[in-house]
Amino acid sequence: MKEKTKKSKFKKGLLIYAVTVLVVIAGGLCAFWFFIKDYEEGMPVHGMEQVMQSFNETDIQKLIRDQTFGNAKNLEDASVWTSWYQELIKGKQMTFEEAKENTDTTPTYTVKADGQPVGKVILKVVGSNGFRFDVWGFDRLDASECLPDTAVYTITVPKGVKVSVNGHELGKEYIEKDDVTYSQLESIQTYLPEAPLTTTYKVSGLLNKPQITAHSVDGKPVVLSQKEHMYTFSYGMAEEETAALKAMVGSVANNYAMNFIDVSKQIYNYIMPGSELEENMKLTVTGFYPTKYISSYGFDSMNVSNFEYYSNECFSCDVHYNFHVNFQGFSVTEEVLPGNMKWYFVNKDGTWYLTNLEYLAEK
């Protein structure tokens, strides 16, 4: 009887042990399954798969508000970018792959529409799961590399001039180049006490034509010249400033023209002493016609325009003229000598000197 009781207790104990082992194994397997599940959910690619569900015409608006379209985020209404991006992905098969910038700490993926890149998604940690694995989610969309060329604008101004785009004044973050000297002033820099400088701003992501303005802090007028998406602002001169300068430039032009018919050498009183221009003038052949045959000369027309102010010591202007020469007793009776140049003046000791010139293309 006692032997049967012992066998019964043994079987019962064995059964309890077996059940316990099975429960432990099942619990371990269950914990391992949850561990693997949390591990997989903590992979960045899983977070990217969730983000890709929003890459359609309807849901993309959720991501656009955190977009990075160039650096123009605050300069144009987000609805413009939304419409553009919706059209970019409309009806296309969306895929993604790891970008070259991808790292463990900053997961980055290239998104493609029908195989063509339409931006990069950068992920960030948005939480953690039961096993303390990071959970990744959307941080931002960068489509700057996919923007059309027409969405990029450069704006060059004299240093210190303020630039506004669509009513927003540009800060330092938009500066592409700073403290750059004027290339057209290179040959006369040595005569200036301080080199005038420029600043170039670059704005990318403007899908509509922007309103770009500039103003100087001292109220000096600025003049715009534009070539496609390149804007250049330069200091202009008020009419009262140019009146006296026009008269001065007219005197220089008169002596410049008379030098070439060899009736006067007073031009050297107006050219910067020791300059390369002075040396070139001395080497230039003049006196094409014997002065004894010249009966009269003068301007048929003269126009001084397009004054540009670089500093208190330097300005430039365009000089256009036709200078006629009449002859008597010579093989020709009349010649017309045209002039079409940009002249650069430097102030030295209170006197303006012609310091460099360049010939302009005929219009």
Side-chain angles (χ1 to χ4, degrees), residues 162-234:
K162 304 298 182 183
V163 176
S164 295
V165 175
N166 292 337
H168 298 272
E169 186 175 303
L170 300 185
K172 294 180 179 179
E173 67 273 18
Y174 292 95
I175 293 178
E176 181 184 39
K177 299 176 184 177
D178 203 11
D179 296 328
V180 179
T181 57
Y182 287 87
S183 59
Q184 62 267 42
L185 302 182
E186 287 180 0
S187 63
I188 63 176
Q189 294 284 22
T190 185
Y191 306 104
L192 295 170
E194 186 176 353
L197 303 173
T198 66
T199 300
T200 298
Y201 295 86
K202 185 175 182 179
V203 181
S204 58
L206 296 171
L207 300 177
N208 288 337
K209 184 178 179 180
Q211 181 185 16
I212 299 176
T213 59
H215 67 277
S216 63
V217 293
D218 59 0
K220 197 163 191 67
V222 288
V223 181
L224 166 67
S225 60
Q226 179 187 354
K227 183 178 181 182
E228 296 179 344
H229 285 218
M230 294 181 291
Y231 286 66
T232 302
F233 289 90
S234 58

Side-chain angles (χ1 to χ4, degrees), residues 24 30 139 144 212 225 230 310:
V24 171
C30 184
D139 182 16
S144 56
I212 299 176
S225 60
M230 294 181 291
Y310 303 100

Side-chain angles (χ1 to χ4, degrees), residues 51-333:
V51 173
M52 287 300 294
Q53 294 178 17
S54 295
F55 269 84
N56 56 70
E57 281 185 76
T58 303
D59 296 330
I60 194 63
Q61 297 183 60
K62 301 174 185 177
L63 308 185
I64 291 295
R65 62 175 177 266
D66 296 313
Q67 57 71 43
T68 303
F69 289 102
N71 60 3
K73 182 174 181 179
N74 298 319
L75 307 178
E76 192 165 56
D77 191 278
S79 62
V80 175
W81 295 312
T82 302
S83 299
W84 172 73
Y85 207 75
Q86 284 174 326
E87 193 63 30
L88 194 64
I89 66 175
K90 182 178 180 180
K92 296 179 181 178
Q93 181 181 2
M94 305 303 299
T95 56
F96 71 92
E97 61 187 36
E98 284 189 6
K100 60 182 180 180
E101 299 89 350
N102 184 65
T103 65
D104 292 339
T105 55
T106 309
T108 306
Y109 295 88
T110 298
V111 180
K112 295 184 176 182
D114 284 351
Q116 295 300 312
V118 292
K120 293 176 182 177
V121 168
I122 298 90
L123 302 181
K124 66 179 179 181
V125 175
V126 295
S128 61
N129 53 32
F131 281 92
R132 301 289 182 181
F133 290 114
D134 289 336
V135 175
W136 297 91
F138 180 78
D139 182 16
R140 64 187 186 277
L141 167 65
D142 183 355
S144 56
E145 294 180 5
C146 308
L147 290 168
D149 293 339
T150 53
V152 181
Y153 290 78
T154 60
I155 309 139
T156 300
V157 297
K159 187 172 179 65
V161 167
K162 304 298 182 183
V163 176
S164 295
V165 175
N166 292 337
H168 298 272
E169 186 175 303
L170 300 185
K172 294 180 179 179
E173 67 273 18
Y174 292 95
I175 293 178
E176 181 184 39
K177 299 176 184 177
D178 203 11
D179 296 328
V180 179
T181 57
Y182 287 87
S183 59
Q184 62 267 42
L185 302 182
E186 287 180 0
S187 63
I188 63 176
Q189 294 284 22
T190 185
Y191 306 104
L192 295 170
E194 186 176 353
L197 303 173
T198 66
T199 300
T200 298
Y201 295 86
K202 185 175 182 179
V203 181
S204 58
L206 296 171
L207 300 177
N208 288 337
K209 184 178 179 180
Q211 181 185 16
I212 299 176
T213 59
H215 67 277
S216 63
V217 293
D218 59 0
K220 197 163 191 67
V222 288
V223 181
L224 166 67
S225 60
Q226 179 187 354
K227 183 178 181 182
E228 296 179 344
H229 285 218
M230 294 181 291
Y231 286 66
T232 302
F233 289 90
S234 58
Y235 284 121
M237 284 186 172
E239 190 172 343
E240 56 271 20
E241 292 180 279
T242 61
L245 293 177
K246 280 186 177 182
M248 182 272 293
V249 174
S251 296
V252 179
N254 186 56
N255 283 277
Y256 185 88
M258 287 194 297
N259 175 71
F260 281 91
I261 60 173
D262 215 23
V263 298
S264 172
K265 293 298 179 182
Q266 295 299 311
I267 185 61
Y268 294 104
N269 294 330
Y270 299 90
I271 293 179
M272 178 65 72
S275 65
E276 185 179 346
L277 177 61
E278 183 184 55
E279 292 302 312
N280 290 339
M281 290 289 289
K282 290 177 180 178
L283 295 173
T284 301
V285 177
T286 60
F288 302 102
Y289 312 101
T291 55
K292 65 179 182 180
Y293 294 109
I294 296 176
S295 59
S296 64
Y297 53 82
F299 289 103
D300 295 319
S301 63
M302 166 131 52
N303 183 37
V304 181
S305 62
N306 194 26
F307 280 84
E308 288 190 41
Y309 171 94
Y310 303 100
S311 71
N312 290 331
E313 291 80 24
C314 185
F315 77 89
S316 68
C317 61
D318 293 351
V319 179
H320 306 272
Y321 65 73
N322 279 320
F323 188 79
H324 71 264
V325 187
N326 295 318
F327 303 92
Q328 191 170 18
F330 192 55
S331 56
V332 295
T333 59

